[in-house]
Amino acid sequence: MLHPGTETDARTTATPPAATGAAALASTEGHGAEPCDLVTVPARQGLEAVDILRRDAERDIGPVLHDGTCDTLGFLVPPGTAEGWDVPGSACTQTAGRGLRIPAEPPVTGSGWLLPPEGDAPVTDPAVLRAALDQAARLIEAADSCR
C-alpha cells in the first residue's frame, strides 16, 4: 500500500508516517517546487477518477503514483490537505510538516508513476479530487449493481 493510515469504520484517518513506523514517504528536500501530501485510494476508484479528471481539459491533474501490486493509487495534493481530508475509503498522509517534494523518482518504495511529474505541473486540487472520487464511486456502484 502507498499509505501508512489507520482505518476506522469506512474512513481512513490521516496519520503522520512517523506514527505508523511504516517505511514510505522519502523526504526529498531540495527537489521539486512545492511540498505536498499524498491521498491514496483503491486502484479501481483511482483509475476511474484519473479518467474523469483527464476528460476535463480545464482541470489540472498532478502526479499520480501506483503501488507495486497496483492495489492503490496515490494523488499528490497540497500540504495540509490531510488535516481536513474525510473522503470514505481513502487516506491522506501528512508529511509531518516537512512536506514531501515532487521528486523525479517515486517517493514510495516499490511504487511507480502512473502520471509522472511534468516540469512545473501542479499537484491535484483536493476539492477537484474529492469530486472526481465521489463521481468514480457512484460509477463503480452503478456498474456493480448491473451485474
Side-chain angles (χ1 to χ4, degrees):
M1 295 181 85
L2 290 174
H3 65 88
T6 306
E7 216 168 291
T8 55
D9 292 328
R11 296 182 180 200
T12 305
T13 58
T15 307
T20 63
L25 301 179
S27 176
T28 54
E29 298 297 325
H31 292 79
E34 294 293 320
C36 51
D37 286 352
L38 181 70
V39 171
T40 54
V41 297
R44 184 176 180 201
Q45 183 179 13
L47 289 170
E48 194 68 48
V50 166
D51 285 344
I52 291 164
L53 292 169
R54 292 185 88 181
R55 276 184 253 150
D56 188 347
E58 294 179 15
R59 310 242 177 188
D60 288 324
I61 181 170
V64 178
L65 289 162
H66 65 83
D67 63 4
T69 59
C70 296
D71 289 334
T72 60
L73 292 185
F75 294 82
L76 298 182
V77 294
T81 299
E83 294 171 15
W85 191 258
D86 62 353
V87 177
S90 69
C92 188
T93 303
Q94 297 173 345
T95 55
R98 292 184 308 275
L100 168 71
R101 303 230 178 234
I102 302 173
E105 296 297 318
V108 179
T109 304
S111 67
W113 292 114
L114 177 67
L115 297 176
E118 295 179 1
D120 62 347
V123 294
T124 303
D125 179 289
V128 170
L129 178 58
R130 178 177 280 118
L133 290 172
D134 288 346
Q135 184 178 354
R138 288 190 305 273
L139 289 170
I140 290 168
E141 185 178 344
D144 288 351
S145 69
C146 291
R147 291 183 183 178

